[in-house]
């Protein structure tokens, strides 16, 4: 399942990164001129209609003393999938897309989203709302818009639990340089007050222990590794707020949201304590024993802030990734430290203060320095209090151990059976002229997966897009009105499963009739990009961005491209999207690819209104036994996890090089060898696999190499 | 001529980016742990010996009241090649390498340089010096070292003219957080005082007008474009301090330093004035008339600071790239603004103040805000005063117009003649058993270039490296002790010329006897990378970093690599290295490649102690007529400028794909067609060209595609 360029943080970045791909950096003047362009917004009905939810929010804003209120999509853990009770932006705006930020003032209500959702948002937003087309020329970002829509000196309210530190600090800076103030409200989310009793209850799924057989490392060992990392950067505490980090660290799984087997919680480690903050009702006896054995205390979810405050007041340095941790936690800690320091004598030195502040000018007295810089003292306090580095839990989680990899391989074998069973059924149905739909394909495939041992749930909503629907990158077929599946169009199926031992994510594109030459050319160029990335060998330390071009070059050569990343990290029996690595044009992500990481390889091509093509396998990064090791460095390459045939009729053989042809045959032989034993007795599926994994037919003999361009007659001379 | 990863700014970045290539980003813990590693320094004789230059500098430091003094390589224009009178770091340390920073304290003298120069520096530095091996594990950066070598509260002196704003601000921040203060000394460079009358005089070459025929755009038109850019970002003044920017903007050339046809100067534009700050003695009558016609005033070089101060005092916003402009200019402007504002009433509002400062807290009075934030007022003043964006002159200069491109093409044709003449001579000399040396090759080649019309000088010092010398990336053969050239080893020749109409830069690698199979494999993999980059087609907006991997992938596939960038920008009859674009693993450079830019394509492979291989052509970026234009975007590709045959015997045909073979033949046909008419009557060279550009021999028929790996027997089934 691809990761779109458009991120979730519409609050911070109005322009989705898809536009970045096309113009990743502008010369300064062009950039500046663009800022002057007209606003790309759409007032759905002049913004004058009333909306009772918005009106109720305005009342709450007035009581809270703020002139505007920002409602992002995020929950307190910055989850990709949040529990229903956290779908505040959806509730207030009625827009259900995955990415968007609502902003309400006394007179306006605006929603920012990206190009994937312009149509949907314009249909779902009521007449009180203005749609802000993020990424369109001249679309202001939220702070710019607030500067025009909130009076000078006005206060912009946020719930600091649903904004990251990075996000809130940037917002604060922009607002304050525009003469407006950020007002983090700790008295509860104002949307919850409007939602009232209609708000869904918080999720309450029970915890499951993730068996050591699949986790491959005990909780005690993971905690010890984290403490080593903490010592390495001189910090006394580590806070994990991302739910997949908590689940990985504690070898626990949950069911609080669909698709991601996580549970709403925090973990706080110190050098000698470890605590899980979670609703106690979710902690089964099994989980309790498991945590006790690992020396992890269970505390109420809401107890986190008080414990963070206590650490901060004691001057303990806390490792908290500012791109993931909520501003609420950050502020609570800073305030606790300030309170702990301020009642003391203004120049008293506390042992717990990590480091003396240097004097900038040798002539300035310490007292005057303290008095003259209060404007920045909060920043400096935060610098002293926090280690603002990416989470070491995310980094450790990304590197799969051998047990996790064995589980991932097994999950992919089970998945391969379900895929073969589904695709042979699909061919039979179409051949028989059955009335098939996209939802029907999804249901059958999910059913075949569910028949496999250890299946938990899909790892994301299946994307089954026939014809033009295949070009909608995050399409989800709905029972009412979804397209039929027949022999007339291409069918793109992107799906995955959560198993007890691992997570899968695979995309195949089929034509169940006669594809056009153009469709075959596009498919083949996508395949060439897929092969180029799959075959890449690269020195350790290479970031994923350096490989993205390999997957695009065959499409670029004829002026084609795709507007999404090429590869994302995948968890082991965890979230199907995980960081920190990425293979994409996100040029700012310099995370090196490392042995043990799992990534997707999913180039595509999408012709609006016509068809979509994507070929996706999951890969494990492994050390490659290259004949040389330049500079003593290890070189890395990929091992394929996904085992599913490519549709032969879609491959334009004449476009493939000998090496590419050999790759296809080798991959198909690997699929046959690994999957056929599991299809024993299932004759239809076995025959389908045999047919689809046979060697490609020999090509017509190659034409001679193309003649050189006619710049001049090539000299007719014997070769030296 | 390649750009090494190691930058000039050793002051700011102890670790050269070559190490970055290998590990572009580290997981945080590993990074932190590396910081704790031991110092990688080498005290050449316990640092106790005395050195009269260092002692004299210490005396000057004492008089100036500083505890340390930093001497970087840069001049006031951050030039790659600086005049002799600015070689202060070389004078004080006796180390002559191009990159390095000296730091002297009362008791220590240390020099930072990068891996290219460790050997040379250890030979050249006297016993009073400690060599700091930048980029080695545990090597402290300069601020870290100063924190241990200067007493707390101590002052670290710099000459603010030879540090960029970015560099000095970062240094200031690091020093001040370590409890030491940066002390910019405006009373002259302390090294100059030590140097005294021995210091070379400033350069005094006369200016040359760069003819409109080659420039393609009048000065008035360029100035008008810059004013449009200035208006676009709302600035009233633009300062150009890089010497190639001045030369391009004013269609003038000079001779103040070797290789780069520039002259020591500044340009300051306002909305209605334009001034060149230069030693009047260099301004010929011709240049004077040219400048008058364009409305550009000539002012003394030293008059710049006063004019900048006057602009600042009047509140004029100044566009000055903080990565290029000296800290001295920045500070002078900030001080002038402060002086202009402070004598007035503390709350008086000046029309010239661009924007009111917002109040952070609605309760705080304006007066108290002004009083309580003086610590940051300098920063805020600088923000109000400067537009800190990359120079629009550099951006405009990078996009060559058709006249500049015509001049570049003509320069490459002239160069092609000189190269053919040299390489045929070289083959004849070796065949005849003549006693040839690297310097002899350089001299002959330069002589052939000089025989071409419009030749000015080489565009950089020729790198002619035989055998092991070819592996020394910035090798320069010296008359005494350079290697012989014969049929036993590979010879790498990287050279270029400055012509009236354009600039060239080309590398070819030859074996004048029998290359080994391994050398041919390495050459062929370098060639495959060269071909892949040359053939690339990519959407507009793509930064060069996205193409770097194409040139490396064939080497990576067998565990080989090279420790330099793949491509740099090239000026038109200007500096052979120019920005802002780059094709390299400098992941932070997101400048898009644009039509009209000239870049080099120069992958290589270097086997320490054995041989070096590099294949370099210059390319122009042009729009590519692709069959499709995804998303309405233009796609770009490359036009080759360099016209010189590749040595056929070095190509391992069996490694090349059909497409690569066709590329070589097409390129050779292009070379023959373009260059052969210019060799009319020069029979030897013409015959050499004919032989070397003939089509490659047919390969042996291809073996069948490799069998799939033996994971399982491929199913023996008829193809669907």
């Amino acid at each position: 399942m691809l990761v779109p360029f458009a991120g979730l943080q519409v609050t911070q970045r109005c322009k989705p990164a898809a536009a970045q791909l096309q113009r990743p950096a502008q010369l300064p003047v062009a950039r500046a001129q663009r800022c002057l362009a007209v606003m790309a917004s759409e007032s759905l009905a002049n913004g004058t209609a009333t909306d009772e939810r918005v009106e109720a929010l305005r009342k709450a804003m007035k009581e809270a003393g703020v002139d505007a209120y920002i409602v992002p999509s995020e929950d307190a853990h910055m989850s990709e999938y949040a529990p229903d009770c956290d779908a505040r932006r959806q509730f207030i705006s009625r827009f259900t897309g995955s990415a968007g930020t609502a902003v309400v003032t006394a007179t306006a209500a605006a929603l920012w989203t990206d190009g994937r959702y312009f149509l949907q948002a314009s249909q779902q937003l009521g007449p009180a709302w203005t749609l802000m087309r993020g990424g369109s020329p001249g679309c202001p970002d939220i702070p710019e818009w607030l500067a025009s829509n909130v009076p000078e000196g006005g206060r912009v309210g946020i719930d600091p639990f649903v904004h990251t530190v990075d996000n809130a600090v940037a917002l604060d800076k922009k607002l304050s340089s525009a003469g407006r103030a950020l007002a983090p409200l700790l008295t509860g989310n104002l949307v919850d007050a409007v939602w009232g009793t209609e708000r869904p209850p918080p999720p309450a799924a029970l915890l499951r222990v993730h068996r050591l057989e699949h986790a491959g490392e005990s909780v005690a060992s993971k905690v010890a590794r984290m403490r080593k990392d903490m010592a390495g950067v001189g910090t006394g505490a580590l806070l994990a707020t991302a739910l997949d980090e908590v689940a990985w660290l504690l070898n626990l799984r949950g069911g609080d949201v669909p698709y991601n087997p996580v549970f709403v919680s925090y973990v706080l480690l110190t050098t000698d304590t470890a605590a899980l903050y979670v609703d106690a009702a979710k902690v089964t006896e099994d989980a309790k024993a498991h945590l006790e054995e690992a020396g992890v205390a269970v505390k109420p979810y809401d107890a986190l802030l008080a414990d963070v405050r206590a650490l901060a007041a004691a001057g303990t340095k806390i490792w908290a990734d500012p791109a993931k941790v909520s501003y609420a936690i950050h502020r609570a800690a800073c305030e606790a430290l300030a309170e702990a320091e301020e009642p003391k004598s203004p120049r008293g030195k506390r042992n717990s203060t990590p480091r003396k502040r240097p004097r900038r000018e040798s002539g300035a007295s310490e007292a005057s320095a303290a008095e003259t810089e209060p404007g920045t003292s909060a920043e400096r306090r935060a610098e002293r209090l926090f280690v603002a580095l990416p989470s070491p839990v995310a980094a450790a989680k990304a590197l799969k151990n051998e047990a996790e990899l064995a589980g991932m391989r097994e999950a992919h074998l089970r998945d391969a059976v379900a895929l073969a069973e589904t695709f042979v059924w699909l061919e039979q149905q179409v051949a028989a002229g059955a009335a098939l739909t996209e939802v029907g394909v999804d249901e059958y495939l999910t059913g075949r997966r569910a028949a496999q041992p250890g299946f938990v749930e899909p790892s994301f909503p299946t994307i089954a897009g026939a014809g033009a629907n295949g070009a909608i990158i995050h399409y989800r077929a709905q029972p009412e009105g979804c397209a039929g599946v027949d022999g007339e169009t291409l069918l793109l199926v992107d799906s995955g499963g959560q198993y007890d031992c691992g997570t899968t994510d695979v995309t195949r594109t089929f034509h169940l009739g006669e594809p056009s030459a153009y469709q075959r050319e596009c498919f083949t160029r996508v395949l060439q990009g897929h092969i180029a990335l799959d075959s890449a060998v690269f020195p350790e330390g290479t970031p994923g961005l350096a490989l993205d071009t390999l997957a695009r070059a065959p499409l670029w050569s004829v002026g084609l491209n795709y507007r999404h990343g090429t590869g994302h990290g995948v968890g082991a029996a965890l979230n199907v999207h995980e960081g920190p690595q990425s293979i994409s044009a996100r040029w700012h992500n310099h995370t090196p690819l490392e042995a043990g990481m799992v990534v997707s390889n999913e180039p595509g091509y999408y012709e609006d209104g016509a068809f979509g093509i994507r070929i996706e396998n999951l890969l494990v990064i492994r050390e490659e036994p290259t004949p040389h090791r330049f500079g003593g460095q290890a070189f890395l390459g990929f091992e394929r996890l996904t085992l599913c045939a490519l549709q032969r009729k879609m491959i334009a053989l004449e476009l493939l090089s000998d090496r590419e042809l050999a790759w296809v045959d080798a991959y198909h032989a690997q699929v046959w060898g690994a999957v056929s034993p599991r299809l024993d007795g299932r004759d239809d599926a076995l025959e389908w696999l045999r047919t689809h994994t046979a060697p490609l037919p020999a090509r017509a003999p190659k034409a001679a190499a193309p003649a050189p361009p006619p710049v001049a007659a090539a000299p007719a001379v014997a070769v030296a």
Side-chain angles (χ1 to χ4, degrees), chain A:
Chain A
M1 183 204 187
L2 50 85
V3 176
F5 276 117
L8 296 169
Q9 293 285 1
V10 178
T11 310
Q12 264 193 283
R13 188 160 48 78
C14 175
K15 172 183 294 302
Q20 264 188 319
L21 169 69
Q22 298 164 39
R23 288 214 153 268
Q26 290 288 329
L27 294 177
V29 178
R31 188 164 53 222
Q33 284 168 340
R34 269 213 322 286
C35 295
L36 303 172
V38 292
M39 273 174 44
S41 65
E42 178 182 342
S43 181
L44 296 164
N46 303 321
T48 50
T50 60
D51 174 312
E52 62 183 22
R53 292 181 187 175
V54 171
E55 289 309 318
L57 178 58
R58 285 180 177 142
K59 195 158 162 261
M61 285 160 53
K62 202 163 183 183
E63 281 162 16
V66 295
D67 304 286
Y69 196 66
I70 302 178
V71 187
S73 307
E74 280 73 21
D75 69 348
H77 305 275
M78 314 303 151
S79 307
E80 183 175 5
Y81 297 96
D84 291 343
C85 63
D86 290 319
R88 298 179 179 98
R89 192 262 301 142
Q90 178 174 335
F91 169 76
I92 199 70
S93 70
R94 292 184 167 85
F95 164 61
T96 60
S98 69
T101 300
V103 184
V104 174
T105 68
T107 54
L111 181 115
W112 277 253
T113 188
D114 61 70
R116 292 173 295 164
Y117 291 117
F118 292 163
L119 180 65
Q120 181 181 336
S122 68
Q123 290 165 344
Q124 293 181 325
L125 291 174
W129 288 86
T130 300
L131 170 60
M132 307 301 291
R133 297 168 175 269
S136 302
C139 177
D141 66 15
I142 290 174
E144 284 165 0
W145 184 86
L146 285 166
S148 316
N149 284 271
V150 165
E152 192 163 353
R155 288 157 51 83
V156 175
I158 60 167
D159 171 359
F161 277 99
V162 296
H163 291 260
T164 64
V165 177
D166 279 350
N167 179 308
V169 166
L171 194 58
D172 185 20
K173 201 170 170 182
K174 284 187 184 177
L175 286 176
S176 97
S177 78
R180 277 76 183 165
L182 186 70
L185 304 178
L186 276 162
T187 48
N189 193 296
L190 299 188
V191 174
D192 294 353
V194 176
W195 215 341
T197 56
E198 300 295 304
R199 186 177 171 222
L206 296 179
L207 303 189
R208 293 182 280 126
V209 175
H210 187 56
R211 299 209 322 265
L212 190 58
E213 172 198 350
H214 300 313
E217 182 179 11
S218 69
V219 176
S221 168
K222 290 179 179 179
V223 167
R225 280 209 283 150
M226 294 305 107
R227 288 193 175 126
K228 216 169 154 186
D229 286 352
M230 288 157 58
V233 300
T235 180
L238 168 65
L239 179 60
T241 64
L243 301 187
D244 61 339
E245 293 184 22
V246 172
W248 176 84
L249 183 62
L250 300 185
N251 290 347
L252 287 172
R253 298 293 184 268
D256 282 351
V257 292
Y259 314 117
N260 292 347
V262 297
F263 50 98
V264 177
S265 56
Y266 297 102
V267 160
L268 183 58
L269 297 186
T270 68
T271 49
D272 54 2
T273 67
L276 168 66
Y277 298 80
V278 68
D279 176 358
K282 297 177 187 172
V283 185
T284 61
E285 284 305 310
D286 205 21
K288 200 171 165 184
H290 168 79
L291 289 167
E292 267 171 18
E293 193 194 323
V296 178
V298 176
K299 298 191 173 190
Y301 179 74
D302 289 335
L304 178 79
L305 272 201
D307 284 2
V308 167
R309 284 177 156 276
L311 283 173
T316 306
K317 214 169 167 77
I318 303 170
W319 191 340
D321 182 349
K324 290 183 172 176
V325 169
S326 76
Y327 193 47
I329 294 172
H330 181 93
R331 277 177 64 92
C334 289
E335 282 167 13
L337 178 59
E339 283 163 20
E341 288 182 341
E342 276 159 20
K344 310 277 167 176
S345 94
R347 53 178 70 209
K349 289 192 178 83
R350 295 170 57 87
N351 284 337
S352 57
T353 305
R355 175 166 81 175
K356 272 190 291 181
R357 285 249 307 285
R359 284 167 285 153
R360 285 174 69 90
E361 309 257 336
S362 52
S365 80
E366 193 167 336
S368 84
E371 277 160 21
T372 55
E373 297 190 344
T376 59
S377 65
E379 270 174 41
R380 302 202 174 197
R381 192 171 290 124
E383 272 177 32
R384 279 190 294 143
L385 190 52
F386 287 104
V387 172
L389 291 172
S391 164
V393 185
K397 173 168 62 62
L399 304 181
K400 274 66 179 171
N401 59 42
E402 286 304 322
E404 288 173 314
L405 291 178
M408 290 294 274
R409 289 188 196 101
E410 172 59 25
H412 280 81
L413 279 166
R414 296 178 195 168
D415 227 45
V417 172
L419 290 165
E421 290 172 343
T422 301
F423 293 140
V424 67
W425 167 83
L426 187 58
E427 283 189 4
Q428 290 166 347
Q429 295 293 303
V430 170
L436 258 189
T437 66
E438 295 164 335
V439 168
V441 173
D442 175 9
E443 284 171 352
Y444 191 88
L445 174 54
T446 303
R448 295 323 305 156
R449 280 203 170 97
Q452 287 293 318
F455 179 78
V456 180
E457 61 184 332
S459 59
F460 59 92
T462 296
I463 301 170
N469 291 340
I472 301 171
I473 287 185
H474 269 244
Y475 180 67
R476 180 163 197 192
Q478 301 294 336
E480 57 284 355
C482 73
V485 172
D486 56 29
E488 300 305 309
T489 61
L490 280 170
L491 175 67
L492 182 156
V493 183
D494 186 355
S495 68
Q498 293 288 3
Y499 297 88
D500 56 353
C501 57
T503 304
T504 69
D505 181 1
V506 53
T507 310
R508 287 295 181 270
T509 307
F510 295 94
H511 200 298
L512 301 167
E514 280 310 310
S516 72
Y518 178 58
Q519 288 171 332
R520 293 175 74 236
E521 179 189 343
C522 292
F523 182 94
T524 306
R525 294 199 184 278
V526 171
L527 175 61
Q528 288 175 301
H530 183 96
I531 293 172
L533 178 57
D534 182 276
S535 309
V537 174
F538 49 93
E540 54 179 358
T542 301
L545 65 90
L547 304 186
D548 183 69
T549 299
L550 297 175
R552 295 182 196 272
L555 287 160
W556 283 356
S557 71
V558 290
L560 301 181
N561 200 359
Y562 50 94
R563 289 198 183 99
H564 59 74
T566 302
H568 56 81
V570 180
L574 253 179
N575 295 3
V576 77
H577 287 163
E578 71 169 23
Q581 76 274 22
S582 161
I583 299 177
S584 72
R586 295 174 184 226
W587 309 128
H588 292 283
N589 185 341
H590 299 176
T591 309
L593 299 178
E594 295 194 61
M597 286 176 170
V598 174
V599 291
S600 68
N601 172 10
E602 48 181 317
Y605 175 69
Y606 311 90
E607 185 110 341
D608 279 349
F611 61 84
I613 292 165
R614 185 157 66 247
I615 302 173
E616 176 186 23
N617 281 354
L618 296 193
L619 308 171
V620 183
I621 302 174
R622 307 303 305 240
E623 193 167 331
E624 197 75 18
T626 49
H628 310 283
R629 283 171 65 100
F630 180 72
Q633 280 191 296
F635 280 72
L636 306 174
F638 297 113
E639 169 196 335
R640 287 181 290 274
L641 288 171
T642 306
L643 298 161
C644 182
L646 302 158
Q647 199 185 26
R648 315 156 65 75
K649 74 165 83 156
M650 288 302 296
I651 302 175
L653 295 178
E654 66 281 10
L655 289 178
L656 294 190
S657 70
D658 293 341
R659 221 174 124 250
E660 290 163 341
L661 281 171
W663 183 95
V664 174
D665 283 345
Y667 176 56
H668 279 159
Q670 177 191 2
V671 173
W672 172 256
V675 182
S676 57
R678 299 218 176 190
L679 291 174
D680 209 25
R682 269 164 283 186
D683 289 347
D684 284 0
L686 189 65
E687 198 51 34
W688 181 90
L689 195 71
R690 187 194 307 275
T691 310
H692 283 72
T693 60
L696 292 172
R699 282 186 301 195
K702 280 217 168 180
V711 289
V717 168
V719 164

